[in-house]
Amino acid sequence: MPILGLRILPPFAIGRFGSSPNPLEAFELKLRDDDPLGFREIVPQETLKIDPQSGAIIDIYTPLYIQFRDGEQIRPVAPFLEVFALTSPDTLEPLTLKLLEDEGLSAEAVQWQVTAGNLKVFRQTGDNDDKVVAQVDWFNDHGSHELHGKCNNFLTDKFISFGNVRYVYPTPEHPEIRLRFTPTAGLIYGADKKRWTPTGDGIEDPVFKDHPERIVYDSHRGKWRGFQSDLNSVTLTNPSDIYEGFRYPDQLATSWGYLDDVCDGPVAVRLTLKDGTALSARAWISSGMPAFAPDSEPVRTVADDLEQLMLGPNIQDDEISLDAAAEIVRRGLESVRLMNTLVMNGNNIDGRINIAHTLGTQDSNDTGRAFAPIMAASLVDNLAVRSLHERIYTALKSGSAPWFDQVLRRPEEVGDLSDKGRRKMPPMLRGAESRGLALTRRQIDKVEKAATQSLFHGKAKAGEQS
């Protein structure tokens, strides 16, 4: 069949940091039949094993269990990106050696290009020379290509490693065309062996005491070490000083010049057919922190935002589902049970108040609102909060909780700092703008319509089990 176009799936792949040489094996999460509100079951799935020498797949196996660490080293999540071929207007299939051979081509005809960047410092300083970017230009070999993040304001020959990418060697046994992204360990880099202090002499930075090789930033070229946010800048972030540094009480932080190895960027693939037709596709990779609660799911994720972006803020009538609505509540329960709700609420702890940087702290810092617990202090014992979520979940699954959508925080209500506004759900959690977290409009619509339909028409979907 002719190759009409290319696609990369998944179009967005997220790697997770880890210093172990062994990537995390594949698994999925399932609800337990015997404990539907308990922690999700981690179920191993088929995993591809790559030969470190040739880059070929040498085994496909299902592990007996999932091991997240090798001693003190965390296993990285190293996703695969697979190329698919459009072979007719409505047919998408994996690009394989056979499809390439039918076009008179080999695996070497497929070329990759990867760009990854970390723009965190640039986002604060506005200096283009603070952009940290790695690029591996077009390649078709099967070796490991390091992603060396370079920056104009770095010291000579210094870089930050963002990990590596590898074009998996296709074989007759495993003929699919794939690329693997392996992120790095999750390290901190800096600008000086000493931390900035107002007196200028500095104190020894314990981060780099044993790792002077991580000093990469040239503070004589750039301004990141000693930087302070400009409150009059139109590009000011919110909150404004989310970098580590020296802090006077009630003043902005002065940066110690730290950087990290988080990255994201495009992956491109191209193929030129014998008749000269050039085909290409693009996907996106990103790296981030390990999942330290892998058997739970947060109440709102990037996937929720992408779903709304692609499908819109409202669901159709034939998409109404009590199960989908209850799953949102369940994820709220999973988020809550990982929290110290007494502290996050702003309770008095052993005679001390405001002992952690919470939503209440941020409300006071940003707006001058008097610091006060979000909920009544007696109501936020973790077991009590979990029990509330469990009751809501059970009621919603049974079709008897039409009131619940009224206590959800809408996106336009995140700035409501009244007692009633701060107590809306999800409680005690904040979004990227440091205000109370709201669900996406599409998530809210799922809950609203499921609750309303169950009230007036019975079950939201015929045959659904409570």
Side-chain angles (χ1 to χ4, degrees):
M1 301 181 73
I3 301 177
L4 306 177
L6 301 178
R7 303 289 187 272
I8 301 177
L9 297 178
F12 181 37
I14 300 176
R16 293 185 181 273
F17 294 143
S19 57
S20 170
N22 304 309
L24 186 64
E25 294 158 315
F27 67 90
E28 65 178 26
L29 300 179
K30 290 186 177 180
L31 299 182
R32 299 176 183 271
D33 293 334
D34 59 343
D35 187 12
L37 286 174
F39 290 94
R40 298 176 192 250
E41 183 179 4
I42 297 174
V43 182
Q45 298 295 305
E46 279 193 348
T47 298
L48 306 181
K49 184 176 182 179
I50 305 297
D51 178 21
Q53 302 304 318
S54 67
I57 297 171
I58 56 175
D59 192 16
I60 297 181
Y61 68 100
T62 301
L64 294 177
Y65 59 90
I66 297 299
Q67 182 172 325
F68 291 91
R69 292 175 179 265
D70 293 309
E72 294 299 312
Q73 294 180 306
I74 295 174
R75 292 187 170 188
V77 174
F80 291 92
L81 295 97
E82 187 168 345
V83 182
F84 282 70
L86 193 68
T87 54
S88 76
D90 58 357
T91 304
L92 195 64
E93 57 182 289
L95 180 63
T96 62
L97 291 176
K98 178 63 168 61
L99 282 177
L100 290 171
E101 289 168 3
D102 290 346
E103 295 283 348
L105 302 171
S106 67
E108 284 66 41
V110 178
Q111 295 184 310
W112 299 87
Q113 182 190 64
V114 180
T115 304
N118 180 324
L119 307 186
K120 290 184 177 182
V121 174
F122 161 74
R123 181 66 181 84
Q124 296 288 336
T125 66
D127 183 354
N128 282 311
D129 287 338
D130 280 333
K131 293 180 178 180
V132 186
V133 179
Q135 184 172 66
V136 181
D137 215 349
W138 296 105
F139 65 96
N140 62 358
D141 64 272
H142 305 285
S144 178
H145 291 265
E146 297 297 319
L147 293 167
H148 288 172
K150 298 181 179 180
C151 172
N152 290 341
N153 282 335
F154 278 3
L155 297 164
T156 303
D157 297 329
K158 290 290 187 176
F159 61 86
I160 291 177
S161 174
F162 292 148
N164 65 76
V165 291
R166 188 170 201 167
Y167 176 12
V168 178
Y169 182 69
T171 63
E173 295 77 20
H174 307 290
E176 299 83 6
I177 304 300
R178 298 182 175 95
L179 180 96
R180 188 174 210 180
F181 166 52
T182 303
T184 187
L187 303 177
I188 299 298
Y189 296 80
D192 199 285
K193 291 184 296 183
K194 293 186 175 182
R195 290 179 174 174
W196 185 94
T197 61
T199 59
D201 53 352
I203 57 174
E204 184 178 35
D205 195 324
V207 174
F208 307 114
K209 181 179 180 181
D210 298 322
H211 298 282
E213 73 280 2
R214 295 188 202 159
I215 302 295
V216 299
Y217 192 86
D218 188 343
S219 55
H220 296 291
R221 292 186 191 174
K223 56 186 178 182
W224 180 228
R225 183 175 183 267
F227 172 83
Q228 274 193 331
S229 297
D230 179 1
L231 293 180
N232 297 314
S233 172
V234 295
T235 61
L236 187 69
T237 59
N238 183 24
S240 58
D241 54 345
I242 52 175
Y243 44 84
E244 193 62 42
F246 182 89
R247 281 176 169 80
Y248 282 116
D250 302 321
Q251 290 190 22
L252 295 175
T254 300
S255 169
W256 282 332
Y258 288 171
L259 303 95
D260 62 31
D261 49 10
V262 169
C263 74
D264 73 307
V267 172
V269 65
R270 71 182 181 187
L271 176 67
T272 301
L273 304 180
K274 286 291 187 178
D275 63 3
T277 302
L279 305 176
S280 63
R282 200 170 88 145
W284 204 267
I285 56 172
S286 180
S287 65
M289 298 299 294
F292 290 109
D295 53 3
S296 301
E297 294 190 9
V299 67
R300 178 174 172 177
T301 69
V302 172
D304 298 307
D305 289 89
L306 290 175
E307 180 184 333
Q308 177 171 279
L309 183 65
M310 292 185 295
L311 303 177
N314 303 112
I315 63 172
Q316 303 302 312
D317 288 346
D318 60 358
E319 297 177 296
I320 298 174
S321 165
L322 284 178
D323 280 345
E327 171 66 7
I328 295 170
V329 177
R330 191 189 199 286
R331 286 162 54 187
L333 166 63
E334 291 178 315
S335 298
V336 162
R337 68 184 173 202
L338 297 173
M339 297 165 53
N340 184 329
T341 48
L342 297 177
V343 171
M344 297 304 290
N345 187 58
N347 282 19
N348 184 309
I349 305 295
D350 296 331
R352 297 179 297 161
I353 63 171
N354 198 12
I355 66 171
H357 198 93
T358 64
L359 178 60
T361 305
Q362 200 66 53
D363 289 343
S364 296
N365 290 350
D366 290 349
T367 69
R369 188 192 196 281
F371 181 83
I374 296 170
M375 305 284 189
S378 60
L379 301 180
V380 292
D381 174 80
N382 190 266
L383 290 177
V385 176
R386 286 167 56 185
S387 178
L388 171 63
H389 280 76
E390 289 169 357
R391 291 198 301 272
I392 294 173
Y393 176 88
T394 302
L396 191 55
K397 286 279 284 185
S398 66
S400 59
W403 56 270
F404 174 62
D405 66 298
Q406 300 302 311
V407 297
L408 291 176
R409 182 181 292 110
R410 271 58 177 173
E412 63 272 16
E413 296 175 329
V414 299
D416 182 357
L417 302 187
S418 66
D419 288 342
K420 180 180 179 181
R422 296 206 307 165
R423 290 170 182 167
K424 290 197 170 183
M425 300 184 76
M428 296 178 276
L429 298 173
R430 53 182 172 144
E433 71 292 297
S434 293
R435 299 278 69 82
L437 180 68
L439 302 180
T440 68
R441 295 188 188 278
R442 189 174 179 85
Q443 285 180 297
I444 293 171
D445 200 50
K446 288 179 182 180
V447 174
E448 285 183 333
K449 288 180 176 175
T452 301
Q453 190 171 87
S454 66
L455 175 64
F456 293 105
H457 304 289
K459 287 287 184 183
K461 270 192 178 178
E464 242 180 10
Q465 300 297 313
S466 0

